[in-house]
Amino acid sequence: MITALAAAKAYANSGAMGVGSVGSIGGGQKNGLDFGDILKSAMTDATKASKVAEHKIADQVAGKAELVDVVTAISSAEASLETVMSVRDQVISAYQEIMRMPI
């Protein structure tokens, strides 16, 4: 289940990734990122957030980090992962709908 916070983060990230400047459908020149680049960027961001959370946990165990920082990093990683999972579910749903279309 995607939360309001995760949806807000996804919306904020989409503006930063240039979603509004995706090239035209007609096959002309691209003015920005294509869909594959956007997905790759989202996956990279989710992976980075997860690694940051892991490092914060290790720092907390070693006594070098505050618990608030650890919780913030974990919730950020969770929101990124939920966003990626939501996009994946929508892509799968769209693919299944296309496969049901008569030729």
Side-chain angles (χ1 to χ4, degrees), residues 35-70:
F35 186 69
D37 290 337
I38 293 169
L39 286 179
K40 186 175 182 179
S41 176
M43 287 296 298
T44 302
D45 291 345
T47 303
K48 285 180 184 177
S50 177
K51 287 181 181 179
V52 167
E54 288 177 10
H55 288 300
K56 291 286 185 183
I57 292 169
D59 288 346
Q60 172 63 28
V61 170
K64 298 178 184 177
E66 294 292 322
L67 185 59
V68 173
D69 296 333
V70 175

Side-chain angles (χ1 to χ4, degrees), residues 55-96:
H55 288 300
K56 291 286 185 183
I57 292 169
D59 288 346
Q60 172 63 28
V61 170
K64 298 178 184 177
E66 294 292 322
L67 185 59
V68 173
D69 296 333
V70 175
V71 172
T72 302
I74 290 172
S75 70
S76 176
E78 182 181 16
S80 296
L81 184 60
E82 284 180 3
T83 302
V84 169
M85 297 292 286
S86 178
V87 170
R88 182 206 62 175
D89 292 345
Q90 290 295 321
V91 168
I92 290 171
S93 175
Y95 174 78
Q96 289 172 342

